[in-house]
């Protein structure tokens, strides 16, 4: 997809991007929205956002786009629920929570899938290779305590994948009975496991790559083997956007273009991610991580519906939602389907 030369972005806490026209074949009518606010959490799985921002793709959306950075998923959920943001790039489980609570919104596109590795000390990895599913029982017998796992909060995407691994894949009972889990944010996981405070973690890139480069640690599993093609983050929009066909389709079109850019120019995409994420994520690290199994970027929302339903059952079990959210209530397929015609 060809794009006009990129204008300089104006940074004022949030980034305001003036639209210059309608991309592609969407020119059905003028956009009724004066502006939209796009929120993101600075994590590697939101790769399309970094490409869209740095390559100027947001400029082709037929409305003014303001970009707001949030430090965590829960903070975006609060802002989305209050109407402060219109579009969010975050985990699929927060999207489920919002829809379950009655928020009228939908997933326009998927961002990433299969995005976690389960990393542990070499001692634990060796024991797992010997014992398989019995690893947790044998570890407790030998050490007098359960395996200490660091992971994001209950109901988050990595927490759900970890639960599925222990309860369904390994079939060793409830997660809480098998391991001792503590809440560790992704950015703190490297320091926490290297300091010896935990024995293992389920972690996204580029942090999985950092841990894997340390001789004292290894890989217990990859989430793509545990729950094949499970979603990680998504592009989520409120009714203001969904009701404006032109804007919704344009956002999806630019998202697809960003996915294609990432596939065709991975090093450039990784550099874009590093420049926006910061927090010690260098270009070299981002480029190494983009070759990981846990770096799979795509746009088609249809490819994640089945696994979204499976994950929804676990989110409900944790108590974050009343019950699995119906696919028709969670996804808004029309904008993506229209761009593929």
């Amino acid at each position: 997809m060809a794009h006009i030369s990129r204008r300089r972005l104006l940074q004022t806490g949030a980034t305001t991007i003036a639209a210059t026209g309608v991309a592609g074949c969407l020119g059905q009518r003028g956009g009724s929205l004066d502006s939209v606010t796009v929120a993101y959490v600075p994590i590697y799985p939101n790769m399309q956002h970094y490409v869209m921002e740095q390559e100027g793709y947001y400029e082709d959306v037929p409305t003014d786009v303001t970009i707001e950075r949030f430090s965590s998923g829960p903070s975006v959920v609060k802002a989305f629920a209050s109407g402060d943001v219109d579009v969010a790039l975050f985990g699929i489980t927060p999207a489920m929570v919002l829809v379950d609570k009655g928020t009228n919104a939908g997933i326009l596109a998927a961002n990433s899938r299969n995005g976690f590795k389960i990393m542990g000390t070499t001692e634990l990895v060796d024991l797992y290779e010997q014992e398989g599913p019995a690893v947790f029982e044998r570890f407790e017998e030998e050490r007098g305590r359960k395996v200490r796992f660091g992971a994001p909060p209950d109901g988050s995407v990595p927490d759900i994948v970890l639960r599925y691994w222990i309860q369904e894949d390994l079939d060793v009972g409830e997660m809480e009975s098998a391991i001792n889990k503590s809440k560790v944010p992704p950015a703190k996981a490297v320091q926490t496991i290297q300091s010896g405070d935990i024995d293992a973690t389920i972690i996204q890139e580029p942090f999985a790559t950092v841990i894997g480069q340390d001789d004292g640690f290894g890989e217990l599993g990859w989430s793509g083997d545990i729950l094949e093609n499970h979603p990680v983050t998504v592009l989520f929009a409120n009714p203001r956007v969904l009701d404006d066909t032109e804007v919704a389709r344009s956002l999806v079109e630019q998202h697809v273009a960003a996915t294609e850019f990432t596939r065709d120019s991975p090093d450039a995409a990784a550099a874009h991610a590093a420049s926006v994420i910061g927090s010690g994520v260098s270009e070299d690290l981002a480029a190494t991580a983009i070759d990981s199994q846990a770096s799979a970027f795509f746009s088609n929302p249809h490819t994640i519906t089945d696994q979204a339903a499976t994950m929804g059952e676990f989110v409900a079990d944790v108590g974050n939602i009343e019950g699995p959210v119906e696919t028709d209530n969670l996804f808004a397929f029309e904008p993506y389907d229209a761009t593929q015609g």
Side-chain angles (χ1 to χ4, degrees):
M1 180 179 295
H3 289 267
I4 61 173
S5 60
R6 182 177 162 221
R7 293 194 304 271
R8 183 178 180 182
L9 301 182
L10 177 63
Q11 296 284 350
T12 56
T15 304
T16 301
I17 304 170
T20 61
V22 181
C25 58
L26 299 177
Q28 299 173 0
R29 61 180 176 83
S32 60
L33 292 178
D34 292 332
S35 65
V36 296
T37 300
V38 176
Y40 76 98
V41 179
I43 57 175
Y44 201 75
N46 286 333
M47 181 64 69
Q48 288 89 343
H49 167 72
Y50 310 126
V51 172
M52 291 167 75
E53 181 177 356
Q54 297 300 300
E55 288 292 321
Y57 290 8
Y58 282 120
E59 297 176 24
D60 291 332
V61 177
T63 188
D64 287 348
V65 177
T66 299
I67 297 172
E68 292 193 7
R69 177 178 177 133
F70 287 80
S71 61
S72 67
S75 61
V76 180
V77 169
K78 183 180 295 185
F80 197 102
S82 65
D84 292 336
V85 300
D86 305 295
V87 179
L89 296 100
F90 58 8
I92 191 170
T93 51
M96 292 178 182
V97 171
L98 284 164
V99 172
D100 179 71
K101 301 301 182 185
T103 303
N104 184 16
I107 295 171
L108 291 174
N111 297 341
S112 53
R113 62 186 171 195
N114 302 332
F116 301 100
K117 288 188 176 182
I118 301 176
M119 308 297 293
T121 62
T122 51
E123 175 193 7
L124 183 61
V125 171
D126 291 343
L127 190 62
Y128 180 57
E129 290 176 352
Q130 298 169 15
E131 302 291 340
V135 62
F136 303 119
E137 183 179 1
R138 178 56 62 88
F139 184 95
E140 188 170 0
E141 289 175 356
E142 294 182 357
R143 301 291 296 273
R145 62 172 177 81
K146 289 182 171 63
V147 174
R148 299 170 303 182
F149 244 97
D154 292 351
S156 64
V157 178
D159 170 73
I160 295 305
V161 174
L162 180 62
R163 289 176 187 276
Y164 190 90
W165 181 55
I166 292 173
Q167 299 177 197
E168 301 295 325
D169 198 39
L170 299 182
D171 192 22
V172 294
E174 295 295 315
M175 185 177 78
E176 287 76 10
S177 67
I179 65 171
N180 182 3
K181 180 196 166 192
S182 58
K183 296 179 183 177
V184 178
K188 297 290 182 64
V190 175
Q191 176 184 353
T192 305
I193 196 170
Q194 289 179 340
S195 67
D197 292 334
I198 56 175
D199 306 297
T201 185
I202 181 167
I203 192 67
Q204 66 209 24
E205 293 294 355
F207 305 115
T209 291
V210 175
I211 295 172
Q213 291 172 340
D214 192 317
D215 290 339
F217 305 95
E219 184 177 326
L220 289 158
W222 169 51
S223 63
D225 287 331
I226 296 167
L227 189 57
E228 185 178 3
N229 290 333
H230 72 85
V232 180
T233 59
V234 295
L235 182 69
F236 194 60
N238 70 9
R240 293 181 68 240
V241 175
L242 298 180
D243 291 343
D244 192 310
T245 303
E246 190 175 12
V247 170
R249 291 182 181 179
S250 183
L251 280 167
V252 172
E253 188 176 42
Q254 304 313 316
H255 189 282
V256 171
T259 297
E260 293 172 351
F261 181 95
T262 302
R263 180 196 63 211
D264 297 338
S265 304
D267 288 346
H272 290 332
S275 69
V276 178
I277 295 172
S279 302
V281 178
S282 67
E283 287 191 14
D284 287 345
L285 174 58
T288 300
I290 208 164
D291 292 328
S292 167
Q293 280 182 308
S295 296
F297 307 106
F298 69 114
S299 295
N300 187 349
H302 292 284
T303 61
I304 61 171
T305 55
D306 290 346
Q307 298 299 40
T310 299
M311 294 176 72
E313 296 176 5
F314 278 77
V315 179
D317 287 344
V318 174
N320 286 27
I321 58 178
E322 293 294 327
V325 179
E326 295 292 332
T327 298
D328 289 345
N329 294 331
L330 185 60
F331 290 87
F333 295 117
E334 191 280 334
Y336 177 83
D337 293 342
T339 66
Q340 301 304 298

